[in-house]
């Protein structure tokens, strides 16, 4: 009798990879190592990312960079979800990954790196007490952004509800609760430059820094320390032939 083949373990990462860089390669490697997964699957935003901006390079280019950076498969995240709010972005991603019926764990980066603390915040938001709702609406009425109003309405978790990676991570956890998904979450502390830091600081520069350098005319070779070598060659070749895409390319359409 042939022995049953063991089920392969699969970890997912939800990302934009706009563009792919060393920090992304690091989270792929750690996702595999820490979860013991056999496969790393990426759910990646396509040609448009959150806030509706065009990605700096086409989805197939960013997907190839991710595959060369250690991913086993890259799935396109539909634009209607990829460009929605953090809550919509997270919930629809969790629903899609759950429906694949092959994802065991979800790995995401966060500023705090404390999964238990983030889960507590997610539970508080999922339950949404009357007191919290009243404070949230008051903050919004007073002109606060949604993120700021929510943090002030739940002061015991204000530290967790700040920082873009924390906020998105809490939304993933809330979505897992809301949908009843069996996916097991993991988080690791973000390393290197902050999410919106536009300074190229070596091996762990942010995607915002890489985009800023490309948009402002920094030579592509100057970025080779921030992007894995094989992935960098793909980006360099694509930009050399097609250039980059920015919101300004849509200015006539949006005028």
């Amino acid at each position: 009798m042939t022995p049953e083949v063991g089920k392969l373990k699969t970890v997912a990462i939800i990302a934009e990879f706009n563009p792919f860089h060393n920090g992304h390669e690091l989270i792929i490697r750690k996702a595999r190592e820490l979860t013991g997964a056999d496969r790393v699957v990426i759910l990646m935003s396509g040609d448009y990312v959150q806030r509706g901006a065009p990605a700096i390079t086409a989805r197939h280019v960013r997907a190839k960079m991710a595959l060369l950076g250690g991913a086993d498969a890259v799935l396109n995240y539909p634009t209607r979800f990829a460009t929605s709010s953090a809550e919509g972005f997270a919930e629809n991603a969790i629903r899609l990954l759950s429906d694949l019926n092959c994802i065991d764990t979800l790995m995401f980066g966060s500023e705090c790196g404390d999964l238990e603390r983030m889960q507590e915040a997610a539970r508080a938001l999922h339950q949404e007490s009357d007191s919290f709702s009243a404070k949230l609406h008051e903050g919004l009425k007073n002109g606060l952004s949604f993120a700021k109003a929510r943090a002030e309405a739940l002061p015991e978790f204000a530290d967790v509800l700040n920082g873009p990676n924390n906020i998105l991570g809490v939304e993933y956890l809330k979505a897992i609760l809301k949908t009843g998904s069996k996916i097991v979450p993991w988080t690791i502390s973000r390393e290197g430059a902050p999410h919106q830091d536009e300074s190229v600081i070596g091996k762990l520069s942010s995607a915002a820094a890489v985009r800023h350098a490309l948009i402002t005319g920094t030579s592509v070779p100057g970025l080779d320390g921030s992007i894995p070598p094989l992935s960098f060659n793909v980006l360099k070749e694509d930009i050399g032939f097609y250039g980059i895409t920015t919101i300004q390319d849509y200015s006539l359409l949006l005028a």
Side-chain angles (χ1 to χ4, degrees), residues 122-144:
R123 282 192 289 269
L125 291 172
H126 178 57
Q127 293 162 358
E128 194 167 319
S129 67
D130 291 340
S131 173
F132 166 78
S133 296
K135 291 178 181 177
L136 176 63
H137 287 121
E138 182 66 23
L140 293 173
K141 190 169 70 174
N142 290 332
L144 297 179

Side-chain angles (χ1 to χ4, degrees), residues 36-84:
D38 302 286
R39 304 174 296 198
V40 180
V41 171
I42 311 299
L43 181 60
M44 188 190 78
S45 301
D47 291 328
Y48 297 90
V49 295
Q50 278 191 295
R51 296 164 299 281
I56 202 162
T57 57
R59 61 184 183 273
H60 69 274
V61 175
R62 288 158 35 239
K64 186 174 182 179
M65 292 175 72
L67 292 170
L68 291 172
D72 294 293
V74 180
L75 309 179
N76 183 63
Y77 191 28
T79 298
R80 63 178 295 189
F81 303 136
T83 57
S84 63

Side-chain angles (χ1 to χ4, degrees), residues 224-235:
D224 61 353
S226 300
I227 301 171
L230 293 177
S231 302
F232 173 75
N233 289 337
V234 172
L235 179 66

Side-chain angles (χ1 to χ4, degrees), residues 175-251:
I176 288 173
L177 290 172
K178 181 177 179 179
T179 62
S181 173
K182 302 301 182 184
I183 294 174
V184 177
W186 286 68
T187 191
I188 57 173
S189 297
R190 180 185 176 91
E191 297 183 28
H195 182 75
Q196 293 298 335
D197 192 319
E198 294 187 341
S199 302
V200 176
I201 59 170
K203 292 189 175 182
L204 290 177
S205 300
S206 69
V210 175
R211 291 195 302 273
H212 180 73
L214 293 171
I215 291 169
T216 55
T218 298
S219 62
V220 176
L223 297 170
D224 61 353
S226 300
I227 301 171
L230 293 177
S231 302
F232 173 75
N233 289 337
V234 172
L235 179 66
K236 181 179 178 181
E237 181 180 355
D238 183 72
I239 289 178
F241 192 81
Y242 292 106
I244 60 174
T245 304
T246 73
I247 193 67
Q248 297 306 317
D249 294 312
Y250 292 74
S251 59

